[in-house]
Amino acid sequence: METIVRCTVDMEFREAGPLTQAAAVLRMHDGTELKAHGVTSRHPDDPGQQRVGEEVAAARALHDLAAQLLEKAGVDIEELTHTPAHLSH
């Protein structure tokens, strides 16, 4: 039997001068939410490219989110099996 569930990731960006910040929220089907952040800073000599800053900040936020999700999965596995879980990136 196949089961399909839906999770969503919402991403919000803030820019202040050379800084771009990304905030990501993963909402899982069971109501669990994980929040992550990513930041990038444009070099003063670089031209202002809003999209590039958003891409880098988003990638960093998603990387943080992935690490949190692996950690959560490890804890969940350990609670079920009562043995250490070894998950890697």
Side-chain angles (χ1 to χ4, degrees), residues 20-41:
T20 301
Q21 300 174 324
V25 179
L26 170 65
R27 291 183 180 86
M28 300 184 68
H29 68 281
D30 67 356
T32 301
E33 285 190 0
L34 297 176
K35 297 178 182 180
H37 297 88
V39 178
T40 190
S41 179

Side-chain angles (χ1 to χ4, degrees), residues 59-81:
R60 290 177 176 162
L62 291 171
H63 186 266
D64 180 20
L65 199 57
Q68 289 182 48
L69 199 52
L70 278 173
E71 178 67 27
K72 181 184 178 325
V75 168
D76 291 346
I77 290 168
E78 290 175 359
E79 287 177 355
L80 292 171
T81 64

